Amino acid sequence: MEENQITPANTQNISQGSTKKINIWMIISVILIVAIIGIGAYMLGKKQNVSQPTPVVKSISPTSVPPSVTQTIVSPTITKPTASGKKVSAGIKNQFFSPYTVTVPVGWEDKHTSNTASDVLTLTKGQNTLTISQAAAGGGSCIFPGDTPEPMAQTFTSFVGITSTSSQFRRGMSQDGSYTVCEQKSGGYAFPTSYGYITYAVATPTDQSTLAEMDGIIASLSK
């Protein structure tokens, strides 16, 4: 019986066959490992995308800023005209003005001058003078706290409201310490009034009771 003899050639063939088999398995193993890593990475990324919550964007309201507040100085309205005293008639009839009557309190002196072009009534008590003048002169708007500024208008920092039997007035203080009376019209307050240019010249320091008397005189105006 012949024994199989292993020759160098056979040994070489066996080694090459084994090497080929090992190389194939190594390639297959590498491919499987790469595939497993790829699948694992894909699943992990998918899991992270699913589990990650969708960011919620909250709208943030702007900080509430309180509107600017315009301070308006409003003094009490004088509603009671001067009751005691004498009635004085004055004024002329033209396209701007008309005759009127006013009550002059006790203690006040009145002076009335009139012609075809002008009429001036001056009431005096000590160093306090109230003048109602009807004459050809300029006019304009009166601007008080809270009003929109206008060019060529007379601006006052405060006022006192005065109600007469036929009109609504406001007495505003000028920079020189005197007072101007404005009348309410369709476009706002303006001067001169329908009774004329009304101004106060008061003593220093101002006597508030005398000033109130002057307001009462204006409140007694009637046509």
Side-chain angles (χ1 to χ4, degrees):
M1 185 173 182
E2 295 182 356
E3 294 180 356
N4 291 330
Q5 295 181 353
I6 299 175
T7 64
N10 292 335
T11 304
Q12 185 177 1
N13 291 334
I14 294 170
S15 299
Q16 290 179 352
S18 300
T19 302
K20 289 181 179 180
K21 290 180 180 181
I22 293 172
N23 291 338
I24 292 173
W25 282 110
M26 287 180 64
I27 293 172
I28 294 173
S29 299
V30 170
I31 293 173
L32 289 175
I33 292 172
V34 171
I36 292 171
I37 293 174
I39 295 173
Y42 171 77
M43 295 301 293
L44 180 61
K46 185 176 181 181
K47 182 178 181 181
Q48 289 180 348
N49 290 334
V50 172
S51 61
Q52 184 177 3
T54 303
V56 178
V57 179
K58 295 183 179 180
S59 59
I60 302 176
S61 301
T63 303
S64 178
V65 179
S68 57
V69 179
T70 302
Q71 182 178 7
T72 303
I73 304 173
V74 181
S75 298
T77 299
I78 304 299
T79 56
K80 294 183 179 181
T82 298
S84 59
K86 65 177 181 178
K87 291 280 188 180
V88 175
S89 297
I92 55 177
K93 180 67 176 179
N94 58 27
Q95 58 180 335
F96 303 107
F97 308 112
S98 59
Y100 62 88
T101 60
V102 63
T103 301
V104 180
V106 176
W108 286 80
E109 297 179 1
D110 59 282
K111 181 180 179 181
H112 182 215
T113 59
S114 183
N115 55 48
T116 56
S118 65
D119 184 278
V120 180
L121 176 63
T122 303
L123 306 178
T124 306
K125 181 181 181 181
Q127 296 180 326
N128 303 283
T129 302
L130 188 157
T131 304
I132 303 175
S133 174
Q134 294 183 352
S141 300
C142 299
I143 302 300
F144 299 100
D147 295 339
T148 302
E150 295 181 10
M152 307 302 292
Q154 192 165 356
T155 302
F156 303 95
T157 57
S158 62
F159 66 88
V160 169
I162 305 172
T163 301
S164 75
T165 57
S166 60
S167 300
Q168 181 68 40
F169 302 100
R170 284 182 177 180
R171 168 175 58 81
M173 185 175 183
S174 303
Q175 294 181 351
D176 60 359
S178 63
Y179 295 91
T180 298
V181 176
C182 304
E183 185 177 20
Q184 187 177 33
K185 299 183 179 181
S186 58
Y189 284 85
F191 70 95
T193 71
S194 58
Y195 295 92
Y197 296 88
I198 305 176
T199 57
Y200 298 4
V202 296
T204 303
T206 303
D207 181 2
Q208 294 299 320
S209 61
T210 302
L211 194 59
E213 276 189 316
M214 299 169 84
D215 292 340
I217 293 172
I218 302 305
S220 70
L221 284 168
S222 62
K223 297 177 183 179

